[in-house]
Amino acid sequence: MDKENFFEEIYNEAMGYNKVHLTEMAQPWSKIALALDVTRPIRHEHLIKLYYYKSQNHYDRNFDGWIDSAKKGFEDVPKEKSTNKYPSFDKLYKQVWLSITDSFSDFHDRKITELNNTYTDFEKIETPDLNGVMNFISQFNKWACERISQVGGVEIGEVKSKIKELLGLE
């Protein structure tokens, strides 16, 4: 099983999508938090790709796929069972970003090595910009958490527009 299918399987299990729910749509925060945690590596990996490869010739052919993966876990966040409301911005942002900022630098470094070894037709990332990447991902996560707290998810079109805006491509 590949990495994305593995995470998707865990995400579906955490959210209870593999079971039939006839009377409830809301989920306990623990399940919502687990689903956000499980999808975070995929989301952040693709946001890193979008950040570093924004000016590459091959960027356009990969852009939509990377954007689709960048919204992983953010598409359909259920209401919390305890309140029957979408999770608050503060709760979401803490879970998806603030809880991992200390370990993000190691993740970032591993991804840069992986990208340089995998995307050989792209220009090598010689001088990684950790602060720039962290700012980009933080701003994206703030925006997404705000949308989720209001409407329960984000749509591909608005994700694409926001990423282009944050990267200065619009």
Side-chain angles (χ1 to χ4, degrees):
M1 178 180 310
D2 65 31
K3 183 169 54 172
E4 288 198 30
N5 286 336
F6 171 76
F7 285 119
E8 191 157 332
E9 187 71 26
I10 291 174
Y11 173 78
N12 288 338
E13 182 64 31
M15 296 308 295
Y17 294 154
N18 295 342
K19 301 175 180 127
V20 176
H21 295 279
L22 298 177
T23 59
E24 65 182 25
M25 295 301 285
Q27 296 288 331
W29 172 248
S30 60
K31 280 191 173 186
I32 296 170
L34 176 61
L36 292 170
D37 284 349
V38 166
T39 56
R40 180 180 26 232
I42 294 168
R43 206 171 35 250
H44 287 172
E45 175 182 343
H46 288 87
L47 288 167
I48 288 170
K49 288 177 188 176
L50 289 161
Y51 181 82
Y52 281 113
Y53 294 142
K54 64 183 172 257
S55 62
Q56 300 283 327
N57 290 334
H58 303 287
Y59 179 74
D60 288 338
R61 79 170 181 221
N62 295 301
F63 187 76
D64 288 339
W66 291 346
I67 286 192
D68 191 50
S69 294
K71 72 176 181 58
K72 187 73 84 177
F74 284 172
E75 320 76 340
D76 187 23
V77 175
K79 292 181 178 180
E80 283 188 78
K81 198 170 199 167
S82 64
T83 63
N84 203 31
K85 294 182 181 179
Y86 295 117
S88 70
F89 167 83
D90 291 336
K91 207 175 210 181
L92 288 163
Y93 189 66
K94 181 179 180 188
Q95 190 68 34
V96 301
W97 184 241
L98 294 180
S99 65
I100 59 103
T101 53
D102 290 342
S103 61
F104 183 78
S105 134
D106 294 332
F107 178 80
H108 173 264
D109 292 347
R110 286 191 311 274
K111 288 299 152 194
I112 295 302
T113 301
E114 184 179 308
L115 294 176
N116 281 336
N117 291 331
T118 304
Y119 290 92
T120 55
D121 55 338
F122 284 68
E123 190 175 307
K124 277 203 178 290
I125 302 164
E126 299 289 344
T127 320
D129 178 12
L130 177 62
N131 289 334
V133 170
M134 288 183 76
N135 183 53
F136 167 62
I137 293 176
S138 173
Q139 293 302 312
F140 176 77
N141 283 332
K142 281 181 183 174
W143 169 80
C145 291
E146 187 64 39
R147 293 288 298 144
I148 293 165
S149 72
Q150 295 169 353
V151 297
V154 295
E155 299 295 328
I156 188 71
E158 63 185 353
V159 170
K160 189 173 187 175
S161 293
K162 187 61 177 181
I163 287 175
K164 283 184 170 186
E165 174 192 319
L166 292 171
L167 293 174
L169 299 174
E170 282 193 326

